[in-house]
Each structure stands twice: as structure tokens, then as C-alpha cells.
Amino acid sequence: MKISCRKKTAFNSRKEAIIIPVYKNIETLKTLTGKRIDDEIASIISSDYFNFEDKEIKSFYIEVKKKLKRIFLVSIPKDPEDSRFYLELGARFSKIVRQDRLTSFSIISFEDLYMEKKELSYTKSFIEGLFFGLYKYERYKGKKENFNFEEVEVITAFTRLKKYVDTEAENWNTAFENIYMARDLINTPAMDLTPEIFAGFIKEHESENFSVEVLDDKQIVERGLNLVKTVGMGSANPPRFVTIDYKGDPTTEKHVALVGKGVTFDSGGTNLKPTGSIETMKTDMSGAATVFAVAKLIRDVGMKINVKTYIPLVENTIGGCAYRPGDVLTSAEGKTIEVLNTDAEGRLILADALYTARLTDPEVIVDVATLTGACVVALGSHCAGLFSNRKFLAKNITDISDDLGEDIWELPMLKAYEKRIKSDIADLRNISKQKGEAGSTIAALFLKEFVDNWPWIHLDIAGPAYLEEEHPIFGKHASGFGVRLIYTFLEKYYKEQH
């Protein structure tokens, strides 16, 4: 999608339609629209046709240079809202774009109406909401939609806003290319995204400063990644372990580590999931898709940062070779784990990956996983759970999430619960025997055992990664949640300044 910015009036727009934001008791937009359009707007908003309801969108036609031009009026509050408002407004307008098959439009920037010269995020958030709403997954459709939106033109009187859009617009496009990639991966059925296929897809994106190593099942055993091997050994599709090394700043060895849970299908193993829970388990690799998209986005925009990404890929299925409740496993670190439930497999493969990540002394480790149903029970499907062993990390990423409309909530890792993951016959057990209590916290405490004391963030995205009901920003099914969040967090706090 092309994003351009012009310092002109809406009257001179050559796009199919023009979006003009208005608020109640607005006086005039003449300097932005031109007198003809401004007079028509004054007539419309003083009639019963437009009511200034929340995010109301109404259209009319006006003759401009002997052609009918469609004008959309959108209702905004007189005082600026947070970014979520504009994200939701953009997502709502995307439905009109698709329904009416608009290929381009101009929009008068929200910043021009608010005269807020310091804040530049409103129009960007609207465009991001539009991006989220325009996503479609048609791989298995016999009849494709056969429609593509082409261009947004931002109209502004602010030189600073124009410079911002001109500088950043290509990065917004790149971000959503990678978000769409993540959503495609999450939406893909497990039969077409086995560990081998997924690893091969990642390998295809290798480049000079973006090296990809794929370990097959034999190499996984040789490297001592026993938990990855064990979780995957019940399936006819053997596991893979992917490491991506992005060198964006070769002048330093400092780097960050990303870890993503990649269970390409989770049957629950011997502790088989019931009907009602198993149908969407193709999405249990959402963490892997998210961190791969973040790493690739960082590469694509050329961010000056070094990132190592670790992606264990397995199918957790029933089979003659599948592991069982009661088995005792030895992790790559050497800690032994009593398996009480084979459906608590994500934390096992993450344990080996987190240990591997910490060996290279990263500045911070961020792991992403659809880890626990308990997190959905606690926070619902719109909010991810956040755990961290550093308060400042939790605050920093939470502040960013508010700005992006990607909701996270910090949950506790209570020291008193640590004894619940201690086993009588091994070092650890993979679940607590206190049924139904603090499932997300127990999982995080288990992971913490393999992070040691490295700065660490754990995001449990079991709720927002895949949405059964429509979200006001992310729509339905695979959401792409977390890509913007982690990218922005790393850009703000870990990018080298040169």
C-alpha cells in the first residue's frame, strides 16, 4: 500500500474519495478543504444526516472539476483521544473500503484539526487500523476476493507531519508485510505447516546478515535439546530447532534474544484435548510466528541492533513413541523434569530454548507463547499476560502496549508458589498438583527456572493471538498481536544510536 503526504487542500485531491474528520461545533475547515467542500460540510453537519456519534462515518457526493467526488465525514472527539480510538476508527473504515471496493483515498490529518504539533501518532494509528482491517486470508478459497487497496494520501498543513510521514511510511508498510506474514502462518492448517515446512520457510528468508540454522531431529539430539526431542517424538513429523542470527550492528557483541513457542499442532499428547479445545490448535505456533516476524521486520528496516532468535518447532501428538505422564526428562541445562501432563508441553520446549538463549549473554530475553488457557480465563481474549523478573522491563513494555492498543497485563510470579513446581522424584514437575490454581503463574515460574537471572520478559498470548470473535482492531482469527509491541520495545530501548 502506498502512503503519500501532500500539503494541499482536499479540493485538489485526485483520489477516489476524501476522508474529512469533524467534531461537534467545529468552525471551519476551509484552509484544508477549500471553500466549496467546506460550505457543503457546514450544511451536512448542521442537518439531521450527521449526528456526531462515536466513530460515526457518513458519506456524500460533491461535484469537483466536473466529476463527482465522494466525501466521508468521520466523527472524532473535540479533544484528542489515545491511539486506540484512531486504530479502531481505521479498522472500521477498512470495512467500507472493502465493501465499496475503494482503491485510494485522501485523508485530512487529525493533527491538523487538533493543532497538536507535538503529537504525530493519530493519523499513523488510523492507517495502522486500516492495515489490520484490510488483511484477508484466502489461500484455500476457490473464489478469491480479487481486490487490493492501493493508496492513502495524507493531506496536512504541517511541515513536521509531512516530513514524518515521508520518512516513516515505508517502514509502516514493511511492518505490516511482516504482520501479514505472521497472520498467514498462524492461519495455515497444521498439515501444511509441519515443523519441517515451517523451518524451511524461515530458511528461505536467510540473507547475508540474517543467518538461519535449522537443526533436524538427529542434530537436536546431538545438541542435547532433549525436551524438544521428547515433545516431538510422538509425531510422524519430526521436530526442528531454528536459530536466527541478525547482525544489525557488527561493531558490538551486545544483542537481545527472542524465543517463540512453535507447536505446529497440539493434540495435548497422551492427555488428549477435548472437542471444543482441539480445533484451533494449529495456532499453537503463534509465538514462533511472532518472533520470526519481529526478527525479519528488524532486518527489513535495517535496525542497528543484534538479535538472536530461537524457535523450537514440534508437533505434540498421540503416537506409539509419544511421551507419557510420569516420564522423567532431562533438559539441555541438566535439570530433570517429572511430566504430570503432556498438554503442558510448550513450557518444556521453551525451557531448552531459553537455556540456549542465555548461553550467549543477551541484554534481555523476550519469549512469546500461546502458553496457558488459564491466561485466557484470567484476562480474556483481548489481553496478553506479562511476566518479568525485572520491574523496569515490565513497566517499559506496558507503557508501549498502551500506546499501540495491544493490551498486556502483568501477572505475579509469587515466590510462595515456587514449591508447587518442585518434584518428589526429580528437580521439577511441569504442572502443579493444585488443580485449577494460578496456571499462568505456575508456567511462568517453570520458565524462570531456565532463565536463571538474565533480564527476561514472558508474554503469554494465548488470548489475543487467535480471535474467535471479531476484535475492534485486529478482526477475527490470527491477529498479528505482539509484532508491533516487541519491535517498538526493542527499537526504543535496545537499538544502538549512531
Side-chain angles (χ1 to χ4, degrees):
M1 180 168 78
K2 181 180 179 183
I3 305 169
S4 58
C5 191
R6 304 284 185 270
K7 292 181 69 176
K8 63 182 182 183
T9 65
F11 186 82
N12 294 316
S13 168
R14 297 183 180 180
K15 309 307 173 192
E16 284 185 66
I18 306 168
I19 299 177
I20 301 176
V22 291
Y23 52 77
K24 202 164 189 177
N25 300 322
I26 193 167
E27 294 180 3
T28 180
L29 291 167
K30 186 166 56 177
T31 58
L32 297 166
T33 63
K35 187 175 185 308
R36 280 278 313 283
I37 295 178
D38 188 54
D39 288 345
E40 192 68 28
I41 291 171
S43 175
I44 294 288
I45 63 178
S46 63
S47 70
D48 293 335
Y49 180 63
F50 199 79
N51 301 304
F52 293 98
E53 295 175 356
D54 183 46
K55 302 183 187 76
E56 180 181 359
I57 302 173
K58 293 281 180 68
S59 69
F60 62 92
Y61 288 88
I62 185 172
E63 185 177 329
V64 177
K65 298 180 179 179
K66 298 183 179 180
K67 291 183 179 180
L68 285 178
K69 180 73 70 177
R70 192 171 182 186
I71 310 291
F72 288 92
L73 296 184
V74 299
S75 177
I76 61 173
K78 186 170 184 178
D79 296 316
E81 293 277 348
D82 61 20
S83 296
R84 188 184 309 270
F85 176 90
Y86 307 97
L87 283 160
E88 292 182 2
L89 186 61
R92 177 176 292 195
F93 192 73
S94 72
K95 295 180 179 179
I96 296 173
V97 168
R98 295 183 70 168
Q99 176 184 300
D100 295 352
R101 303 180 76 81
L102 296 174
T103 60
S104 67
F105 63 80
S106 298
I107 178 171
I108 291 178
S109 83
F110 301 101
E111 289 81 0
D112 280 82
L113 266 72
Y114 292 134
M115 301 300 289
E116 287 279 334
K117 297 185 180 181
K118 294 181 179 179
E119 179 58 71
L120 299 177
S121 67
Y122 307 135
T123 303
K124 177 195 174 187
S125 295
F126 177 88
I127 293 171
E128 288 181 324
L130 180 76
F131 265 118
F132 276 116
L134 289 177
Y135 171 79
K136 53 184 181 286
Y137 184 70
E138 296 185 306
R139 177 172 174 177
Y140 299 94
K141 291 277 190 181
K143 186 177 180 181
K144 306 268 193 295
E145 188 177 13
N146 195 29
F147 163 73
N148 287 299
F149 182 78
E150 295 175 3
E151 183 178 359
V152 174
E153 178 187 62
V154 179
I155 295 174
T156 182
F158 287 157
T159 300
R160 184 164 170 257
L161 179 63
K162 184 181 185 310
K163 182 178 179 181
Y164 175 64
V165 175
D166 288 345
T167 303
E168 298 295 329
E170 191 55 42
N171 285 348
W172 303 344
N173 261 311
T174 304
F176 276 89
E177 286 172 5
N178 286 283
I179 290 169
Y180 283 12
M181 179 192 71
R183 296 176 81 170
D184 284 350
L185 288 167
I186 296 165
N187 281 325
T188 299
M191 67 183 298
D192 290 330
L193 197 69
T194 64
E196 181 179 14
I197 294 171
F198 196 166
F201 179 78
I202 296 172
K203 185 71 172 176
E204 289 173 6
H205 292 86
E206 189 172 33
S207 63
E208 183 178 354
N209 63 345
F210 193 78
S211 62
V212 178
E213 180 186 45
V214 178
L215 302 182
D216 63 21
D217 49 332
K218 292 180 181 179
Q219 292 168 316
I220 285 170
V221 173
E222 291 169 1
R223 296 283 182 94
L225 302 170
N226 299 315
L227 302 182
V228 178
K229 176 207 77 170
T230 302
V231 172
M233 69 186 186
S235 173
N237 295 306
R240 295 289 185 267
F241 191 90
V242 179
T243 302
I244 306 168
D245 190 0
Y246 169 65
K247 282 282 191 183
D249 186 8
T251 66
T252 180
E253 290 300 313
K254 290 197 300 183
H255 68 281
V256 300
L258 303 178
V259 177
K261 174 187 172 184
V263 180
T264 59
F265 187 78
D266 181 18
S267 72
T270 307
N271 293 105
L272 185 67
K273 290 180 182 288
T275 298
S277 298
I278 201 170
E279 291 83 355
T280 58
M281 284 300 104
K282 67 178 183 179
T283 69
D284 211 19
M285 37 57 68
S286 298
T290 301
V291 297
F292 172 49
V294 172
K296 183 173 169 296
L297 170 56
I298 286 171
R299 187 275 305 270
D300 291 348
V301 302
M303 189 189 297
K304 289 190 178 298
I305 185 176
N306 299 322
V307 183
K308 295 182 186 293
T309 306
Y310 304 87
I311 302 176
L313 296 168
V314 301
E315 276 190 352
N316 184 34
T317 60
I318 299 173
C321 296
Y323 73 124
R324 300 153 293 263
D327 286 348
V328 175
L329 315 178
T330 302
S331 71
E333 185 180 2
K335 291 179 180 177
T336 55
I337 300 150
E338 179 189 10
V339 175
L340 296 185
N341 191 314
T342 61
D343 195 23
E345 85 299 329
R347 67 200 68 183
L348 296 178
I349 65 171
L350 286 173
D352 273 356
L354 288 167
Y355 171 69
T356 304
R358 90 178 201 222
L359 292 178
T360 56
D361 193 20
E363 292 184 272
V364 65
I365 302 172
V366 180
D367 84 71
V368 189
T370 47
L371 203 60
T372 64
C375 199
V376 186
V377 173
L379 299 177
S381 59
H382 288 193
C383 187
L386 162 67
F387 298 86
S388 181
N389 57 1
R390 299 289 195 280
K391 282 295 179 185
F392 78 91
L393 289 176
K395 183 182 186 307
N396 288 348
I397 197 165
T398 298
D399 289 346
I400 291 169
S401 78
D402 291 339
D403 293 338
L404 297 176
E406 298 196 0
D407 293 317
I408 60 177
W409 192 262
E410 186 178 9
L411 295 170
M413 289 189 292
L414 299 175
K415 191 170 181 62
Y417 288 174
E418 289 179 357
K419 63 185 179 182
R420 298 189 180 188
I421 57 168
K422 303 301 181 182
S423 168
D424 295 334
I425 64 169
D427 297 323
L428 302 168
R429 54 192 180 204
N430 73 331
I431 63 168
S432 168
K433 287 187 176 180
Q434 278 87 343
K435 304 298 183 186
E437 283 192 19
S440 300
T441 292
I442 295 299
L445 286 170
F446 182 89
L447 296 181
K448 184 171 175 280
E449 290 283 332
F450 298 88
V451 174
D452 198 10
N453 197 37
W454 263 257
W456 167 63
I457 289 171
H458 163 54
L459 293 174
D460 189 336
I461 61 169
Y466 189 86
L467 300 155
E468 299 280 6
E469 296 183 354
E470 187 166 0
H471 186 281
I473 298 169
F474 308 121
K476 289 182 68 174
H477 305 306
S479 66
F481 180 99
V483 177
R484 290 155 68 240
L485 175 63
I486 299 168
Y487 170 84
T488 306
F489 171 73
L490 296 179
E491 180 186 42
K492 184 171 182 179
Y493 293 106
Y494 293 94
K495 181 180 72 170
E496 292 300 313
Q497 303 295 328
H498 292 291

